[in-house]
């Protein structure tokens, strides 16, 4: 078994990585975080063991890059709602309200929700990424989903 | 919000979603940044030509692989990942000159290529055969035996045949200009029909008759 061309990796996981970046750092810095994620992954790629879980690898890098951006971001947080008016490329950021609600979660809940639901990491991987136990990661994700449901169900007639 | 499903489903998103507006732009930006940092070991693109879709691949040293229309492009890229490096990205902007020259050649407005080439996919005798092929001029032909002699090993006629058959840079390294001593076509990795067409393009209208 050998490593596929990196281009295939970008094609397959570019979307997931972008959503993780959106969820953590918002639309403005997400593109830089996406680029830094894939550039750093490309540098390390030839040393990746063939057959590794590439998505988990990328999501872990993306989460850390996006968190770095979030921490070093000196600008004031973008108030909820304003993201709707921000041009995102040539179109609005899809699901802007969802991302606004995610960004308003408590940090542990946000991390668990993003890593597990947006990034598709298993809870053991989420726990490792967040430096917590699997049980705690599971609980944070459940609490986060409950909180999101509360915010969103008000406007969403499912 | 958009009315699809539960919060969990919204977080996962949909495969076909429009989001992906930014992705082509981000991928182009990634290719440029990777090249700038020396991390793009193999750039590639595909171009449409009168003979069909060609895949072009290049290392920082030059054009390293041209895949003719009858080749499976995914397989070619997978082979490049193994033989050169898996650091492969689509980077069409790096092929402006190559695409233009190949287009001109196929429309008869160019007789020779002015492109840097990287012959690392051929080694030893095969590489010296490819260098000999570069000496055969537009519109001319040579026999496998002549190329063997010119490459310094007159008895290696069959080896010349296999060097041609595995030529990583067809068109630019003109293996289509090599015929059997009796004037019949011999072989061509891109198919005999294409070999005949290239020879006719270059004015060898009686080729293979």
């Amino acid at each position: 078994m050998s490593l596929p061309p990196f281009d295939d990796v970008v094609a397959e996981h570019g979307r997931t990585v972008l959503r993780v970046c959106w969820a953590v750092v918002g639309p403005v810095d997400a593109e830089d975080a996406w680029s830094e994620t894939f550039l750093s992954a490309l540098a390390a790629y030839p040393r990746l063991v063939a057959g590794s879980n590439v998505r988990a690898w990328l999501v872990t890098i993306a989460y850390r890059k996006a968190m770095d951006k979030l921490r070093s971001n000196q600008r004031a947080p973008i108030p909820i709602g304003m993201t709707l008016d921000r041009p995102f490329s040539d179109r609005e950021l899809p699901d802007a309200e969802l991302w606004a609600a995610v960004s308003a979660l408590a940090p542990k809940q946000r991390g668990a929700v993003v890593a597990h639901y947006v990034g598709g990491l298993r809870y053991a991987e989420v726990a490792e990424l967040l430096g917590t136990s699997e049980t705690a990661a599971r609980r944070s994700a459940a609490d986060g989903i409950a909180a999101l449901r509360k915010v969103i169900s008000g406007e969403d007639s499912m | 919000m958009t009315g699809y499903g539960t919060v969990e489903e919204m977080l996962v998103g949909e495969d076909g979603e429009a989001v992906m507006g930014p992705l082509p732009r981000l991928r182009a930006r990634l290719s440029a940044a990777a090249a700038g940092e020396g991390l793009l070991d193999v750039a590639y693109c595909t171009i449409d030509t009168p003979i069909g879709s060609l895949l072009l691949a290049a290392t920082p040293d030059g054009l390293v692989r041209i895949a003719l229309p009858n080749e499976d492009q995914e397989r070619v890229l997978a082979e490049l990942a193994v033989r050169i490096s898996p650091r492969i990205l689509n980077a069409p902007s790096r092929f402006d000159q190559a695409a233009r020259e190949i287009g001109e050649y196929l429309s008869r407005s160019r007789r020779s290529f002015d492109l840097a080439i990287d012959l690392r996919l051929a080694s030893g005798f095969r590489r010296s055969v490819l260098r000999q092929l570069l000496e055969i001029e537009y519109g001319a032909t040579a026999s496998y035996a002549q190329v063997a002699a010119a490459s310094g090993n007159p008895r290696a006629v069959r080896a010349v045949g296999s060097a041609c058959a595995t030529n990583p840079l067809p068109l630019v390294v003109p293996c289509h200009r090599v015929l059997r001593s009796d004037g019949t076509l011999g072989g061509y990795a891109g198919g005999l029909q294409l070999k005949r067409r290239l020879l006719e393009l270059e004015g060898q209208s009686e080729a293979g008759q």
Side-chain angles (χ1 to χ4, degrees):
Chain A
M1 194 164 177
S2 53
L3 291 169
F6 194 73
D7 210 48
D8 293 355
V9 171
V10 184
E12 192 175 343
H13 303 293
R15 167 185 168 282
T16 299
V17 166
L18 185 55
R19 291 176 67 89
V20 167
C21 295
W22 280 346
V24 174
V25 80
V28 179
D29 288 319
E31 298 201 1
D32 283 344
W34 188 96
S35 298
E36 288 172 19
T37 296
F38 278 107
L39 210 51
S40 129
L42 176 63
Y45 187 58
R47 297 186 297 278
L48 190 69
V49 175
S52 300
N53 181 346
V54 175
R55 179 165 75 163
W57 177 62
L58 288 171
V59 165
T60 298
I61 299 173
Y63 183 81
R64 291 192 175 131
K65 294 280 182 197
M67 284 301 292
D68 287 348
K69 278 238 167 311
L70 192 66
R71 287 193 201 99
S72 71
N73 203 336
Q74 298 303 307
R75 279 169 292 178
I78 301 157
I80 292 173
M82 266 191 65
T83 47
L84 282 174
D85 304 325
R86 254 171 204 280
F88 189 80
S89 169
D90 52 346
R91 54 189 309 135
E92 286 177 356
L93 174 65
D95 296 335
E97 292 171 67
L98 173 68
W99 304 128
V102 169
S103 73
L105 291 174
K108 278 182 185 169
Q109 294 178 8
R110 185 185 59 203
V113 164
V114 170
H116 180 68
Y117 287 98
V118 183
L121 296 193
R122 289 179 288 116
Y123 280 114
E125 294 161 338
V126 176
E128 198 185 324
L129 175 63
L130 301 179
T132 180
S133 72
E134 196 173 330
T135 314
R138 209 176 275 274
R139 191 166 51 235
S140 295
D143 292 348
I145 291 292
L148 287 177
R149 218 176 264 144
K150 207 173 285 178
V151 173
I152 284 162
S153 61
E155 332 156 4
D156 196 18
S157 51
M158 291 191 292
Chain B
M1 308 209 46
T2 49
Y4 55 79
T6 64
V7 167
E8 291 90 327
E9 285 165 348
M10 290 166 66
L11 289 165
V12 172
E14 289 175 341
D15 271 346
E17 64 193 340
V19 196
M20 298 307 120
L23 279 179
R25 181 167 44 79
L26 286 173
R27 291 178 72 172
R29 182 176 145 187
L30 174 65
S31 295
E37 298 201 9
L39 291 172
L40 183 51
D41 296 339
V42 181
Y44 82 92
C45 75
T46 54
I47 58 172
D48 287 321
T49 73
I51 60 169
S53 171
L54 302 178
L55 181 142
L56 310 182
T59 67
D61 292 339
L63 206 55
V64 77
R65 183 76 164 88
I66 296 176
L68 294 172
N70 65 340
E71 293 190 80
D72 178 338
Q73 297 183 342
E74 275 185 34
R75 178 177 298 187
V76 170
L77 289 173
E79 281 169 10
L80 293 173
V82 173
R83 294 191 61 188
I84 300 178
S85 162
R87 286 184 183 138
I88 298 181
L89 289 172
N90 183 245
S93 61
R94 302 196 6 122
F95 294 92
D96 290 347
Q97 188 190 352
R100 191 181 63 246
E101 292 198 11
I102 290 169
E104 288 167 355
Y105 167 73
L106 292 172
S107 59
R108 286 190 153 135
S109 55
R110 169 174 291 274
R111 296 166 67 91
S112 66
F113 293 100
D114 186 19
L115 300 170
I117 59 171
D118 178 346
L119 292 179
R120 77 175 71 188
L121 292 175
S123 54
F125 184 68
R126 286 184 181 181
R127 192 184 297 199
S128 31
V129 169
L130 299 182
R131 292 207 184 285
Q132 276 310 310
L133 299 186
L134 289 166
E135 304 298 319
I136 310 173
E137 291 191 358
Y138 185 95
T141 61
S143 70
Y144 292 99
Q146 285 169 329
V147 175
S151 306
N153 192 345
R155 284 183 295 185
V157 180
R158 293 175 70 91
V160 169
S162 52
C164 290
T166 57
N167 176 9
L169 289 168
L171 305 181
V172 170
V173 176
C175 61
H176 59 276
R177 293 176 193 152
V178 186
L179 307 176
R180 288 213 184 102
S181 300
D182 64 4
T184 57
L185 279 178
Y188 195 57
L192 283 183
Q193 198 180 351
L194 179 57
K195 185 171 190 175
R196 192 175 294 118
R197 180 167 171 181
L198 293 173
L199 291 168
E200 283 169 3
L201 175 105
E202 295 186 7
Q204 295 282 327
S205 56
E206 76 285 6
Q209 300 298 311

